Amino acid sequence: MLKGKTALVTGSTSGIGLGIAKVLAGDGANVVLNGFGDHQAIEAMRTDIAQSAGVEVRYSPADMSKPEEIAAMMVEAEEEFGGVDILVNNAGIQHVAPVHEFPPEKWDAIIAINLSSSFHTVRAALPTMIGKGWGRIISIASAHALVASPYKSAYVTAKHGLAGFTKVVAMEVATAGITVNAIAPGYVWTPLVEKQIPDTMKARGLTEEEVKRDVLLAAQPTKEFVTIEQLAALALFLTTDAASAITGAVLPVDGGWTAQ
Ligand code: NAD
């Protein structure tokens, strides 16, 4: 049970992050939600999670591409809850284009949000975790932390970097009661995947069905999308004492994709 603990999940107004935030709240953790979206819809999510789980839920609109906003979010969590016990680095974006046509501003945004934001959250969260002698850091990487696909240069670079960062931090805090891991999902049906279908259709000259079958699920031997619930269940397991020997790991949940 996570009663009395606080989880901060970046990018938790949608998709995988929202699913993880709900499951951690369901196990008793207070939660800090973060991400973009319609204010009323986010407020409805916040109150719904708080009421159904009986925990405190706050929301930070901090932009994960802006280190100063990340720092302010972490200070607020410290003041509100006495620190973050479970940090889930999940916010991420995608852009699909050949490298010679890749817009430099998209490259910079993907590196900032999908990689550097984790450095900024981790550096702010660690001192309190070390002081308490307990912490869990879970980063949502990707199968693209382990293998590449064409037209995703910034994303693959950022996710490989996140895997490396995970291993380094795990080693630095291994004796402090803190585990640091990455989850590497294959394709999960979320708005992030839905949004990249038109660009992939354009980049490869394919129909929507062909993109799903021949590009997305072509990589996954199970031929099924991974579910948000499966990822949230693993994230919850990583918070338990039973998982305290798992650290520095990049754990694939990818229907066999990276086994090939
Ligand atoms: P999503 O688009 O449903 O959710 C992304 C979340 O990040 C949203 O809450 C959004 O508001 C937030 N976000 C985006 N930019 C932000 C910013 N600058 N600052 C703060 N929040 C921001 O996407 P998802 O599929 O749930 O992806 C979540 C994570 O999982 C990402 O890191 C993604 O790379 C990773 N992932 C997804 C898949 C997949 O197939 N969907 C596969 C592997 C890894």
Side-chain angles (χ1 to χ4, degrees):
M1 272 291 283
L2 295 175
K3 202 165 167 43
K5 301 239 186 299
T6 296
L8 184 148
V9 185
T10 69
S12 47
T13 53
S14 168
I16 297 166
L18 178 59
I20 291 174
K22 283 181 179 169
V23 164
L24 297 178
D27 202 60
N30 296 320
V31 166
V32 180
L33 295 173
N34 159 259
F36 299 150
D38 173 72
H39 277 290
Q40 280 187 338
I42 293 171
E43 181 53 20
M45 265 173 223
R46 194 191 68 73
T47 50
D48 176 51
I49 298 172
Q51 281 166 11
S52 54
V55 297
E56 295 288 323
V57 183
R58 298 279 185 275
Y59 164 68
S60 165
D63 182 337
M64 291 302 107
S65 69
K66 302 203 168 105
E68 62 286 359
E69 292 192 19
I70 298 172
M73 173 181 78
M74 300 303 291
V75 167
E76 271 169 40
E78 187 81 32
E79 287 171 356
E80 197 78 41
F81 293 114
V84 172
D85 305 292
I86 300 156
L87 170 64
V88 182
N89 294 308
N90 166 80
I93 58 168
Q94 176 61 287
H95 186 78
V96 178
V99 69
H100 56 285
E101 292 170 10
F102 212 91
E105 63 279 9
K106 291 281 186 199
W107 173 278
D108 289 343
I110 290 174
I111 299 298
I113 296 165
N114 296 17
L115 175 59
S116 301
S117 69
S118 296
F119 163 69
H120 295 293
T121 56
V122 165
R123 69 186 286 275
L126 271 182
T128 302
M129 288 183 183
I130 291 168
K132 291 182 182 176
W134 195 92
R136 293 288 185 265
I137 298 174
I138 301 165
S139 294
I140 306 305
S142 167
H144 283 123
L146 301 165
V147 294
S149 293
Y151 313 123
K152 296 185 175 177
S153 53
Y155 188 87
V156 170
T157 301
K159 295 296 186 179
H160 274 66
L162 189 55
F165 181 62
T166 296
K167 294 176 191 178
V168 172
V169 181
M171 292 176 76
E172 290 185 7
V173 297
T175 58
I178 302 165
T179 69
V180 189
N181 293 290
I183 296 177
Y187 280 104
V188 192
W189 190 252
T190 68
L192 180 138
V193 167
E194 210 172 339
K195 271 185 252 163
Q196 64 186 277
I197 287 186
D199 286 342
T200 310
M201 286 165 68
K202 203 169 119 203
R204 295 183 183 237
L206 298 174
T207 67
E208 181 172 339
E209 276 318 301
E210 285 169 340
V211 169
K212 281 188 192 165
R213 188 194 60 222
D214 300 337
V215 180
L216 304 185
L217 295 180
Q220 258 165 238
T222 54
K223 300 292 169 206
E224 283 176 14
F225 285 100
V226 175
T227 70
I228 291 172
E229 291 71 23
Q230 289 164 343
L231 298 172
L234 176 55
L236 180 63
F237 176 68
L238 288 173
T239 69
T240 65
D241 287 344
S244 61
I246 302 174
T247 196
V250 181
L251 301 163
V253 185
D254 64 5
W257 175 353
T258 55
Q260 297 174 88

